[in-house]
Amino acid sequence: MQAQGGWWGCSWCTELSLSQEICWKMCSLWCAGEEKRVGTRTVLVGHRPVADTEAYVAQKFCDNRIVSSKYTLWNFLPKNLFEQFRRIANFYFLIIFLVQVIVDTPTSPVTSGLPLFFVITVTAIKQGYEDWLRHRADNEVNKSNVFVVENAKQVRKESEKIKVGDIVEVKADETFPCDLIFLASSSTDGTCYVTTASLDGESNFKTHYAVRDTTVLCTDEAIDTLTATIECEQPQPDLYKFVGRIIIYGSNQEPVARSLGPENLLLKGATLKNTKKIYGVAVYTGMETKMALNYQGKSQKRSAVEKSINAFLIVYLCILLGKATVCTTLKYVWQSNPFNDEPWYNEKTKKERDTFKVLRMFTDFLSFMVLFNFIIPVSMYVTVEMQKFLGSFFISWDKEMYDEEIQEGALVNTSDLNEELGQVEYVFTDKTGTLTENSMEFIECCIDGHKYRDCMAEVDGFSQPDGPLKYYGKAEKSREELFLRALCLCHTVQIKEADQVDGLVAHPERKYTYISSSPDEIALVKGAEKYGFTFLGLENNFMKIRNQKNETEMYQLLHVLNFDPVRRRMSVIVRTSTGKLLLFCKGADSSIFPRVQQEEIQQTKVHVDRNAMDGYRTLCVAFKELTEKEYDRIDRQLNEAKMALQDREEKMAKVFDDTEADMHLIGATAVEDRLQEQLAETIEALHAAGMKVWVLTGDKMETAKSTCYACRLFQTSTELLELTARTVGESDRKEDRLHELLLEYHKKLIQDLPKNRGGLKRSWTLSQEYGLIIDGSTLSLILNPSQDSGSSNYKSIFLQICLKCTAVLCCRMAPLQKAQIVRMVKNTKGSPITLSIGDGANDVSMILEAHVGIGIKGKEGRQASRNSDYAVPKFKHLRKLLLAHGHLYYVRIAHLVQYFFYKNLCFILPQFLYQFFCGFSQQPLYDAAYLTMYNICFTSLPILAYSLLEQHISIDTLTSDPQLYMKVSDNAMLQWRPFLYWTFLGAFEGLVFFFGVYFLFQNSSLEDNGKVFGNWTFGTIVFTVLVFTVTLKAFLEAAKNVFCICSHADFCFHVAGNNSPDLYQPFPRNSSNSFKKYKREKSSGWPL
């Protein structure tokens, strides 16, 4: 095995002075046992066996077919029917249909079977069509052509025929057909650039590295000579983790082992950019690729409307049972008279006389259930689904939510939660990229406590001010240059010529552009360039920079200690041209300060704190010089850790932690991340609509707090309550101190404040506004207290404090903690509707946890938008999405649901009353065709059109007056009061329909030809009046709202004619309170 060109043995074998051959064999045997323990796979590159693998047992791997479809031609019918009949309503009507088939019921089985068949068929067609689209998309991928190297020649194959171990060639702008280990490329340095937009949406280029021993094998003939095996972990879904090693066998040479990590793995779905071609060996194929393992269907979230529908269904089911029980009881009371039980014209058969009375009563009860079962609206589910599906297009079509910069609009990933957008009470938002632009600009830096800002003249370092800049003092020239070299060297930025980069515009003054997955790093490199030190790129493991004297300096890059969110820092180890070994490190102040000399901290900490208060993102920069002995030890430890297949990350973290110690602090940087446009106005509108906004961020407290003030989440009058490491302390008494603070804040917010007596919904605005700030370490103490602390009620007290605050800021949050916060609020009393919005992969957990998840199509990737329920380009679009679309969707579907129950009660009550006039003989009032078609077409289509197009208040009014949102909040239109209103209205109209026609028949009972009016005529007249009335009801509701809107317009034009210029706005900001009150009362929707 080799590292940096020389043999290295493991520390165990080195201590025992074992030879290279014995070390290799023993380590191989040990690692084989390790593989069995952790579950690894061995891949033969090019399917060429190795001499030392006689005992190798061929493993079975899946093919490269991608299957995202749910059904096949053979299992579609049974599987789809099983899923549909799991719904309570469908199962109920199936039972009713079977009862009609088995029992002698008064109505034909067609009356229940046909509507049920219609519902099942429509749903099956919809789901079948969606699955057919998935099949078609799968075939496009599976049948695409790829090139595989076999016998030193390129062979064209279909993608689905790739096998694990095949060597695949991929050319520029092609997507990788499976997960590949990068072996060689057309670039001499063995690098390639990829974009992972289809995986996480990251549009920036990412650099991947080939195994250094195979970089020269850049032709078909050369790559076909490679004999190697790859040992790696079994497939797992994390896109950013990979552990493995490649063992390369050469003729008459010792095997060479190289570690493999995420930088060597090319993921299926990623696209090759700015590289002519690459060679890679397939390690994961088909449904075992990371892309396939990350695939998940739409989140199964239930809206509050569905829960209300289920509650209303139970009420109507009780009404149905009550009607059937009353009619069954009265039937046998009626039949207690022998003349009524067995009249001379309808004598019973012997079989009927011998039947048990209990059995007859049960059969009659089932018959009445069948007769009245139409009170349960079976077609409502289909209508609601169609309304949600078709209505969701209005969000996608909204031109005001289209962003010209990214050329994209809003996206609806699930239409099941449209109405939830109108019920949100808590908004949880990320900061960077969501509230800010995630567009970084270098602002200033400090070196040894001296501040440097704006452009400097290059004649004497960069400490001399250029232009109107104030003089801040200067550090030593050598320290300035050391700081700028650190900025130029400590990063993972790559350089490409401007004309070779797709979609990137180079700086007009240079012929190249910087490429990085982090905008912070590019800002720092540009900042160093502004002060005279320019990064020129990486070539053959040498980093080139141009200094202020226009001289080129070369540094050999030995190791990169990559950034991770736990360490919150990254480092590089370089060798200068004079042979000096240097470690440069940059990271968050909380991770750098404990690792530098304590006497160096204070002068830099002042600048860091001030920059954070100004809202800038800060990083500290440190360095240390290494001896050859220290470097050799670090190099050996890093290589050993990289070769481990088990616990590699823990071992790497341990080496990183030991290496990044006893450093010297040089200075700090400040980078600005601008706020998104209309951010403050959007947050103010959400507050006015009765929503609480919580910011959950991984950023430091001072920066996040400054952002909260800038976006008006915190007002100048807001009293801030802190639960952070600074207030709790780091001593052994920190849990006791936390308990004291919680009790103090609880007393201030809950015990000492008078209870709200206004009765206003969501009226949490107190005479004094309070805001809460908490960090991740304190939150861990609250959610996971130690067992001996006796603080099991921490969480309850903390939650009560949070709910009383107008705004909450949670900083230094890990992704899992974000989800814990959302879950904690979601599960509080009353189950408030929560919404999470973010733009990065670290926001996915809270997006999935909330009732409604919204992704921002930002610069941190599209993983958030892919896992969300809705995606919007900017945070400002949240205002219209909730206040306009959410309000209208809720009002529309609320009336759709209430109307369905109303019209079905109108329909079935005359049937119930008719039993009192036919001796409870289960005689149907309506013709079978009317029973069948009433819900399918006569009354469903008008309300569907109404629920799609109704707009009782104009969009401009809804967005300009956020308080209208509160009028429909807390599920106001689907509470018991409006439900009872519609129920009693249906009962009253049902009575009018029946008795109106009944008394009409008292005057004339004969037709012109002498025939007596019969049952069919009576039922048809009732049905006709019924259909016209319930349809007219929907029309009148729509007409009433049109009249209200017209009245608003007439009033506005009338006042505008009297020279009131404020009324030319959609909603006047300076108009009188009486006018605002008039508008809200008139336009707040139709009364229930």
Side-chain angles (χ1 to χ4, degrees):
M1 289 181 277
Q2 294 180 350
Q4 304 299 331
W7 162 267
W8 64 269
C10 67
S11 57
W12 183 76
C13 294
T14 303
E15 291 176 7
L16 296 179
S17 302
L18 298 181
S19 66
Q20 298 178 9
E21 182 178 359
I22 296 175
C23 174
W24 167 252
K25 291 183 178 179
M26 291 188 69
C27 288
S28 298
L29 290 172
W30 184 86
C31 290
E34 178 187 17
E35 291 159 14
K36 291 176 183 177
R37 287 198 303 273
V38 300
T40 61
R41 60 170 54 188
T42 301
V43 178
L44 298 180
V45 177
H47 306 288
R48 280 181 290 278
V50 182
D52 294 343
T53 58
E54 293 86 359
Y56 171 74
V57 179
Q59 301 179 28
K60 275 194 169 185
F61 304 112
C62 69
D63 56 27
N64 199 38
R65 285 186 303 121
I66 288 293
V67 181
S68 62
S69 54
K70 191 175 182 179
Y71 307 106
T72 65
L73 186 63
W74 309 109
N75 70 7
F76 174 74
L77 195 59
K79 191 173 181 179
N80 187 265
L81 289 177
F82 173 76
E83 290 178 350
Q84 291 205 56
F85 283 117
R86 290 172 65 184
R87 301 183 71 167
I88 295 176
N90 290 345
F91 184 73
Y92 163 77
F93 276 93
L94 177 63
I95 296 299
I96 292 294
F97 172 71
L98 295 177
V99 168
Q100 287 179 294
V101 172
I102 298 170
V103 180
D104 184 17
T105 56
T107 57
S108 168
V110 176
T111 59
S112 292
L114 189 59
L116 179 63
F117 176 77
F118 172 76
V119 170
I120 296 297
T121 303
V122 169
T123 306
I125 291 174
K126 173 180 174 287
Q127 294 177 351
Y129 174 71
E130 291 175 349
D131 202 63
W132 175 77
L133 293 178
R134 287 191 286 266
H135 270 285
R136 189 174 68 174
D138 289 345
N139 286 331
E140 288 180 2
V141 174
N142 294 332
K143 300 298 182 182
S144 60
N145 290 323
V146 296
F147 290 97
V148 176
V149 177
E150 294 181 357
N151 300 321
K153 295 180 180 179
Q154 290 187 14
V155 179
R156 185 191 297 267
K157 286 187 177 182
E158 292 180 343
S159 176
E160 64 182 3
K161 295 181 180 178
I162 293 178
K163 298 178 182 177
V164 170
D166 283 348
I167 298 177
V168 182
E169 178 185 311
V170 181
K171 296 180 180 178
D173 298 320
E174 293 181 351
T175 58
F176 302 115
C178 56
D179 291 350
L180 305 169
I181 292 297
F182 183 18
L183 297 176
S185 75
S186 56
S187 302
T188 56
D189 57 357
T191 61
C192 73
Y193 302 95
V194 304
T195 58
T196 55
S198 61
L199 295 172
D200 59 6
E202 181 63 63
S203 57
N204 292 320
F205 286 23
K206 296 179 180 177
T207 308
H208 286 257
Y209 302 91
V211 180
R212 65 171 176 267
D213 298 87
T214 62
T215 54
V216 296
L217 308 176
C218 51
T219 63
D220 297 342
E221 295 77 10
I223 200 69
D224 196 55
T225 62
L226 176 63
T227 302
T229 60
I230 293 174
E231 300 164 356
C232 61
E233 62 186 356
Q234 292 292 359
Q236 53 104 351
D238 195 322
L239 295 176
Y240 310 106
K241 292 182 180 179
F242 176 74
V243 175
R245 61 172 170 244
I246 183 171
I247 304 165
I248 304 171
Y249 299 86
S251 57
N252 301 323
Q253 293 181 1
E254 290 291 337
V256 177
R258 296 284 181 240
S259 63
L260 299 175
E263 69 277 4
N264 307 116
L265 185 67
L266 303 173
L267 299 179
K268 176 182 176 65
T271 304
L272 182 65
K273 291 289 185 181
N274 301 117
T275 309
K276 291 181 180 179
K277 67 176 181 179
I278 65 99
Y279 293 100
V281 57
V283 287
Y284 303 132
T285 53
M287 300 306 293
E288 292 183 341
T289 60
K290 290 183 179 289
M291 184 182 76
L293 294 175
N294 274 276
Y295 173 79
Q296 64 177 26
K298 296 176 182 177
S299 53
Q300 299 298 316
K301 299 179 181 180
R302 292 181 59 203
S303 68
V305 169
E306 287 187 48
K307 298 173 185 176
S308 297
I309 291 175
N310 291 338
F312 298 160
L313 277 176
I314 292 175
V315 172
Y316 270 63
L317 187 59
C318 292
I319 294 175
L320 172 61
L321 293 172
K323 286 182 176 181
T325 303
V326 168
C327 287
T328 303
T329 303
L330 292 179
K331 176 178 182 177
Y332 284 89
V333 172
W334 166 265
Q335 291 180 352
S336 60
N337 185 334
F339 177 78
N340 293 335
D341 183 32
E342 194 174 353
W344 61 269
Y345 56 84
N346 189 21
E347 294 183 357
K348 293 183 179 179
T349 64
K350 186 177 184 300
K351 182 180 178 181
E352 290 175 332
R353 291 193 182 96
D354 294 341
T355 304
F356 286 110
K357 189 172 184 179
V358 175
L359 183 58
R360 279 190 284 127
M361 291 180 68
F362 179 70
T363 304
D364 287 333
F365 177 80
L366 290 180
S367 297
F368 281 117
M369 286 282 291
V370 170
L371 188 64
F372 302 142
N373 83 87
F374 294 95
I375 195 173
I376 306 296
V378 61
S379 62
M380 179 177 66
Y381 285 99
V382 173
T383 309
V384 167
E385 283 191 6
M386 292 177 65
Q387 191 269 351
K388 289 182 176 182
F389 175 71
L390 297 175
S392 64
F393 286 103
F394 291 121
I395 295 178
S396 304
W397 293 339
D398 194 330
K399 293 183 179 179
E400 293 184 12
M401 298 173 70
Y402 182 83
D403 187 72
E404 293 290 345
E405 181 180 352
I406 63 174
Q407 298 290 305
E408 291 185 50
L411 176 67
V412 179
N413 292 326
T414 176
S415 59
D416 296 335
L417 303 171
N418 292 345
E419 63 277 6
E420 292 288 80
L421 296 172
Q423 299 295 299
V424 175
E425 294 183 47
Y426 287 87
V427 175
F428 300 93
T429 175
D430 178 41
K431 184 184 79 71
T432 305
T434 304
L435 301 182
T436 62
E437 292 281 359
N438 201 16
S439 177
M440 309 301 176
E441 180 182 354
F442 186 91
I443 299 299
E444 66 176 54
C445 61
C446 78
I447 304 172
D448 292 341
H450 297 283
K451 174 181 172 184
Y452 297 82
R453 188 181 180 98
D454 295 338
C455 295
M456 306 286 185
E458 297 180 8
V459 293
D460 182 21
F462 70 106
S463 59
Q464 292 295 331
D466 182 16
L469 181 70
K470 295 181 180 180
Y471 184 72
Y472 297 105
K474 57 181 292 186
E476 296 179 6
K477 181 68 179 296
S478 61
R479 299 286 287 181
E480 293 177 351
E481 293 180 349
L482 181 65
F483 178 82
L484 292 174
R485 288 188 177 97
L487 295 186
C488 282
L489 296 172
C490 188
H491 56 74
T492 57
V493 174
Q494 298 289 324
I495 280 185
K496 291 300 292 182
E497 296 299 324
D499 57 354
Q500 295 180 6
V501 180
D502 296 341
L504 295 176
V505 180
H507 194 283
E509 297 178 357
R510 38 181 156 87
K511 299 179 180 180
Y512 53 85
T513 188
Y514 295 124
I515 299 171
S516 175
S517 58
S518 170
D520 293 82
E521 290 198 326
I522 294 179
L524 294 179
V525 172
K526 288 182 177 179
E529 181 181 11
K530 184 169 65 172
Y531 295 132
F533 275 75
T534 304
F535 174 60
L536 300 178
L538 176 67
E539 185 177 341
N540 296 325
N541 276 339
F542 280 88
M543 303 181 78
K544 296 189 297 183
I545 63 174
R546 185 171 59 239
N547 61 25
Q548 295 169 337
K549 299 177 182 178
N550 211 24
E551 299 171 345
T552 300
E553 300 178 2
M554 304 284 287
Y555 295 85
Q556 183 183 4
L557 180 61
L558 300 176
H559 287 288
V560 177
L561 282 56
N562 289 316
F563 174 87
D564 65 68
V566 178
R567 289 167 53 242
R568 297 182 61 82
R569 60 186 181 273
M570 68 90 61
S571 302
V572 296
I573 300 176
V574 297
R575 189 191 300 271
T576 67
S577 56
T578 60
K580 187 183 295 184
L581 291 164
L582 296 174
L583 178 142
F584 290 108
C585 180
K586 72 169 187 278
D589 58 326
S590 59
S591 66
I592 296 293
F593 285 165
R595 301 183 165 274
V596 299
Q597 309 302 317
Q598 295 304 302
E599 62 272 11
E600 301 172 344
I601 294 177
Q602 189 56 41
Q603 58 185 358
T604 301
K605 188 175 186 298
V606 174
H607 292 274
V608 171
D609 292 341
R610 190 198 68 248
N611 288 333
M613 291 293 292
D614 293 337
Y616 299 140
R617 295 166 62 89
T618 59
L619 286 176
C620 295
V621 181
F623 89 105
K624 78 172 180 179
E625 188 172 343
L626 302 173
T627 65
E628 285 290 345
K629 186 176 181 180
E630 288 175 329
Y631 171 72
D632 290 341
R633 175 180 54 83
I634 293 170
D635 181 63
R636 184 178 69 255
Q637 291 175 346
L638 283 173
N639 285 325
E640 286 180 358
K642 289 178 181 178
M643 290 298 295
L645 289 185
Q646 185 180 18
D647 301 327
R648 176 185 290 186
E649 293 181 0
E650 290 78 1
K651 293 176 181 178
M652 295 282 286
K654 177 68 169 58
V655 179
F656 289 174
D657 192 63
D658 295 339
T659 304
E660 298 166 328
D662 300 323
M663 297 184 293
H664 296 278
L665 186 63
I666 314 174
T669 62
V671 174
E672 182 183 24
D673 189 5
R674 292 189 298 272
L675 295 180
Q676 289 205 7
E677 57 179 325
Q678 300 180 27
L679 174 63
E681 292 82 354
T682 302
I683 289 182
E684 283 186 334
L686 297 181
H687 270 300
M691 285 174 259
K692 286 188 177 181
V693 180
W694 292 27
V695 176
L696 313 180
T697 178
D699 217 334
K700 63 182 303 179
M701 185 188 73
E702 291 79 6
T703 305
K705 185 163 70 173
S706 176
T707 302
C708 290
Y709 274 113
C711 67
R712 302 177 200 166
L713 185 66
F714 291 158
Q715 304 292 335
T716 53
S717 59
T718 302
E719 181 178 343
L720 297 182
L721 311 176
E722 259 190 55
L723 290 173
T724 62
R726 184 172 63 184
T727 57
V728 173
E730 297 293 340
S731 65
D732 295 336
R733 291 189 62 256
K734 58 184 177 182
E735 291 199 2
D736 296 333
R737 175 58 180 160
L738 174 62
H739 192 220
E740 293 172 4
L741 286 173
L742 286 173
L743 293 178
E744 177 187 339
Y745 296 159
H746 185 270
K747 184 175 184 296
K748 179 182 292 187
L749 268 70
I750 297 171
Q751 298 176 7
D752 294 348
L753 287 174
K755 294 185 182 290
N756 174 45
R757 303 187 182 212
L760 295 175
K761 283 194 298 184
R762 305 190 184 190
S763 179
W764 48 62
T765 303
L766 309 173
S767 56
Q768 170 64 51
E769 290 188 355
Y770 290 93
L772 178 69
I773 301 177
I774 185 170
D775 61 11
S777 58
T778 310
L779 182 66
S780 296
L781 286 177
I782 292 174
L783 299 181
N784 307 298
S786 60
Q787 294 181 356
D788 58 346
S789 65
S791 51
S792 57
N793 61 340
Y794 277 0
K795 185 176 177 181
S796 175
I797 297 175
F798 170 68
L799 187 57
Q800 292 179 47
I801 295 171
C802 288
L803 298 182
K804 283 293 182 180
C805 292
T806 54
V808 177
L809 167 62
C810 303
C811 51
R812 299 294 197 191
M813 289 284 117
L816 182 60
Q817 288 180 314
K818 293 183 178 183
Q820 288 177 323
I821 288 283
V822 176
R823 188 184 307 117
M824 181 181 67
V825 175
K826 188 173 73 170
N827 295 333
T828 57
K829 184 180 179 181
S831 300
I833 304 301
T834 57
L835 179 147
S836 293
I837 180 170
D839 72 317
N842 61 333
D843 302 316
V844 170
S845 56
M846 72 171 183
I847 286 175
L848 295 176
E849 184 63 42
H851 291 96
V852 181
I854 297 184
I856 298 286
K857 300 177 179 179
K859 298 180 180 179
E860 288 190 14
R862 298 295 172 85
Q863 196 164 342
S865 61
R866 290 178 67 238
N867 286 276
S868 64
D869 303 305
Y870 304 88
V872 293
K874 301 285 186 183
F875 186 85
K876 66 177 182 178
H877 297 134
L878 191 63
R879 177 174 185 170
K880 186 173 184 182
L881 184 66
L882 298 184
L883 302 188
H885 289 291
H887 183 110
L888 291 175
Y889 281 136
Y890 175 76
V891 171
R892 290 165 178 168
I893 201 165
H895 278 85
L896 171 66
V897 171
Q898 300 280 28
Y899 181 84
F900 255 93
F901 285 107
Y902 150 78
K903 72 182 183 64
N904 277 36
L905 184 58
C906 288
F907 179 57
I908 214 63
L909 185 60
Q911 178 71 75
F912 171 71
L913 296 174
Y914 185 64
Q915 298 306 305
F916 288 85
F917 295 87
C918 67
F920 305 98
S921 61
Q922 301 155 9
Q923 172 67 37
L925 173 63
Y926 308 114
D927 187 85
Y930 298 155
L931 289 171
T932 304
M933 303 304 293
Y934 178 76
N935 276 317
I936 293 180
C937 63
F938 280 139
T939 56
S940 293
L941 296 181
I943 189 61
L944 175 61
Y946 174 86
S947 63
L948 286 172
L949 304 175
E950 172 60 20
Q951 185 176 311
H952 63 292
I953 305 177
S954 68
I955 297 290
D956 290 338
T957 304
L958 287 172
T959 53
S960 60
D961 186 4
Q963 292 188 358
L964 291 174
Y965 190 86
M966 284 195 288
K967 290 185 177 293
V968 299
S969 63
D970 302 320
N971 205 16
M973 297 178 69
L974 287 174
Q975 297 293 338
W976 290 109
R977 184 174 180 180
F979 171 72
L980 292 176
Y981 162 79
W982 283 95
T983 299
F984 283 118
L985 180 64
F988 170 75
E989 292 184 1
L991 288 169
V992 172
F993 298 152
F994 181 82
F995 288 107
V997 177
Y998 175 79
F999 288 117
L1000 179 66
F1001 271 48
Q1002 300 299 312
N1003 299 328
S1004 175
S1005 59
L1006 294 177
E1007 300 181 21
D1008 294 340
N1009 57 7
K1011 290 184 179 179
V1012 179
F1013 285 132
N1015 172 68
W1016 185 88
T1017 306
F1018 182 82
T1020 301
I1021 294 176
V1022 172
F1023 183 81
T1024 303
V1025 175
L1026 164 69
V1027 171
F1028 271 101
T1029 304
V1030 296
T1031 306
L1032 184 63
K1033 173 67 175 174
F1035 172 77
L1036 291 176
E1037 293 292 350
K1040 178 174 68 176
N1041 296 321
V1042 172
F1043 174 76
C1044 289
I1045 294 175
C1046 292
S1047 298
H1048 298 162
D1050 291 343
F1051 182 81
C1052 290
F1053 282 122
H1054 173 72
V1055 180
N1058 293 327
N1059 298 320
S1060 183
D1062 288 330
L1063 295 180
Y1064 288 106
Q1065 302 176 7
F1067 185 84
R1069 292 184 176 272
N1070 302 318
S1071 53
S1072 66
N1073 291 331
S1074 60
F1075 173 65
K1076 289 185 178 180
K1077 182 178 179 181
Y1078 171 82
K1079 284 190 69 178
R1080 285 198 293 270
E1081 290 177 352
K1082 290 287 286 179
S1083 62
S1084 61
W1086 67 105
L1088 299 177

